[in-house]
């Protein structure tokens, strides 16, 4: 198998490209799962990287699970019910855990169909923009299974429980314009402009202090399940750290001096 994930660093942005276009970029094989995990670990340890863009090679974003492997009971789809449970837990479920704990903001640049786990992969990212050729389908029910990769937790947070239920209960695809109207994506652009738009969004994010950016993402994540009191305590602790960064002082002086700040990540 060729490299399942192409990685390209462009300034302070990293681009992750799913690289199995012949099979429409499935993500259920061990090589792809491990590659995504490793990519997240690398950026978490690299303070020079501020934003990640995730996209797919070829005409599809991701087809999700490999249906041929489902048919043939191969890989994570093999074995008894107990073995299948472990296959999911130690297989594809590693992807939502990795992306959830990715410390930098992530942008899904959805270039084509995002189907099943591929739809959920897009929703695992913090921000999403779509090409006009993109479609989104929470289509597990169409192959007689449930969302096994966290989609039942992820999708309602993106589009609300009613829209998520419609997508999950019907399994039908929605187009890019509907995804925009439902709040699943924040922009729809022509296919040839997708990566340019993703980089433009990444630059707007990366223009901010990198340590504060990572702490802000952590607060947004924690706010999904903590009480207000707990989140306020964490906010106070992280704010104390932020006030003592060089970038905070630079931001304040730049604002008062009416100039563009120069952030160093200190």
């Amino acid at each position: 198998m060729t490299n399942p994930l192409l990685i390209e660093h462009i300034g302070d942005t990293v681009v992750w490209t799913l690289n199995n276009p012949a099979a429409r970029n499935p993500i259920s094989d061990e090589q792809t799962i491990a590659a995504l995990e490793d990519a997240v670990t690398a950026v978490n340890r690299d303070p020079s990287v501020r934003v990640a863009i995730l996209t797919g090679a070829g005409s599809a974003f991701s087809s999700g699970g490999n249906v041929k492997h489902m048919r043939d009971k191969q890989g994570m789809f093999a074995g008894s019910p107990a073995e299948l449970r472990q296959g999911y837990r130690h297989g594809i479920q590693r992807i939502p855990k990795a992306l959830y704990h990715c410390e930098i903001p992530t942008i899904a640049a959805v270039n084509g169909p995002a189907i099943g786990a591929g739809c959920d992969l897009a929703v695992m990212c913090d921000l999403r923009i779509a090409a006009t050729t993109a479609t989104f389908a929470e289509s597990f029910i169409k192959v007689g299974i449930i969302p096994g990769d966290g989609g039942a937790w992820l999708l309602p947070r993106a589009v609300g429980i009613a829209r998520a239920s419609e997508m999950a209960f019907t399994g039908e695809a929605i187009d890019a314009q509907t995804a925009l109207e439902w709040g699943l994506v924040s922009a729809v652009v022509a296919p040839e402009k997708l990566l340019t738009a993703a980089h433009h969004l990444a630059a707007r994010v990366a223009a901010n202090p990198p340590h504060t950016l990572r702490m802000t993402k952590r607060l947004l994540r924690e706010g999904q399940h903590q009480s207000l009191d707990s989140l306020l305590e964490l906010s106070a602790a992280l704010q104390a750290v932020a006030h003592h960064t060089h970038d905070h002082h630079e931001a304040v002086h730049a604002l008062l001096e009416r100039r563009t700040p120069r952030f160093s990540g200190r």
Side-chain angles (χ1 to χ4, degrees):
M1 180 178 179
T2 58
N3 187 349
L5 187 71
L6 302 180
I7 299 175
E8 181 182 12
H9 289 266
I10 302 174
D12 46 26
T13 298
V14 63
V15 180
W16 299 328
T17 304
L18 297 169
N19 187 38
N20 188 0
R24 298 170 68 82
N25 303 318
I27 57 171
S28 54
D29 60 276
E30 173 60 29
Q31 295 95 325
T32 302
I33 294 166
L36 285 166
E37 276 187 318
D38 291 344
V40 171
T41 298
V43 299
N44 284 351
R45 295 176 177 176
D46 187 350
S48 70
V49 182
R50 302 187 186 185
V51 186
I53 296 171
L54 175 64
T55 193
S59 61
F61 177 72
S62 174
S63 60
N66 190 315
V67 179
K68 290 183 179 178
H69 288 178
M70 292 182 196
R71 178 196 63 194
D72 300 336
K73 308 297 183 184
Q74 294 180 356
M76 62 173 284
F77 306 116
S80 67
E83 289 169 329
L84 275 162
R85 175 175 174 265
Q86 292 293 73
Y88 271 84
R89 293 180 65 236
H90 299 294
I92 200 168
Q93 288 184 359
R94 287 153 49 199
I95 297 176
K97 289 180 179 179
L99 286 171
Y100 185 83
H101 293 290
C102 184
E103 295 179 7
I104 62 172
T106 52
I107 300 169
V110 185
N111 53 300
I115 307 300
C119 178
D120 292 340
L121 179 65
V123 183
M124 292 173 203
C125 295
D126 301 300
L127 303 167
R128 290 165 293 281
I129 60 175
T132 53
T133 49
T135 56
F136 300 83
E138 190 75 351
S139 56
F140 300 92
I141 203 163
K142 292 294 190 183
V143 289
I145 59 176
I146 62 167
D149 60 344
W153 190 89
L154 293 159
L155 193 57
R157 285 167 164 78
V159 298
I161 188 63
R163 296 297 194 192
S165 297
E166 181 176 341
M167 291 180 71
F169 294 162
T170 67
E172 296 169 356
I174 62 171
D175 61 19
Q177 186 59 41
T178 302
L180 179 64
E181 293 168 0
W182 288 8
L184 184 57
V185 301
S186 58
V188 175
V189 300
E192 65 274 15
K193 296 181 179 179
L194 179 64
L195 283 180
T196 298
H199 280 288
H200 178 69
L201 178 56
R204 291 166 54 203
V205 174
N208 295 298
H211 288 306
T212 310
L213 196 58
R214 292 186 182 219
M215 288 190 288
T216 300
K217 175 167 177 174
R218 178 63 182 272
L219 281 178
L220 289 170
R221 285 285 194 250
E222 295 298 320
Q224 293 181 305
H225 60 83
Q226 285 195 4
S227 68
L228 176 59
D229 286 344
S230 296
L231 189 71
L232 288 173
E233 284 294 331
L234 179 59
S235 300
L238 293 180
Q239 192 74 297
V241 174
H243 273 283
H244 278 266
T245 61
H246 178 275
D247 282 345
H248 164 62
H249 296 290
E250 168 63 10
V252 170
H253 284 289
L255 182 64
L256 294 174
E257 295 166 10
R258 299 179 184 273
R259 60 174 174 83
T260 301
R262 297 179 296 275
F263 298 125
S264 60
R266 295 186 289 122

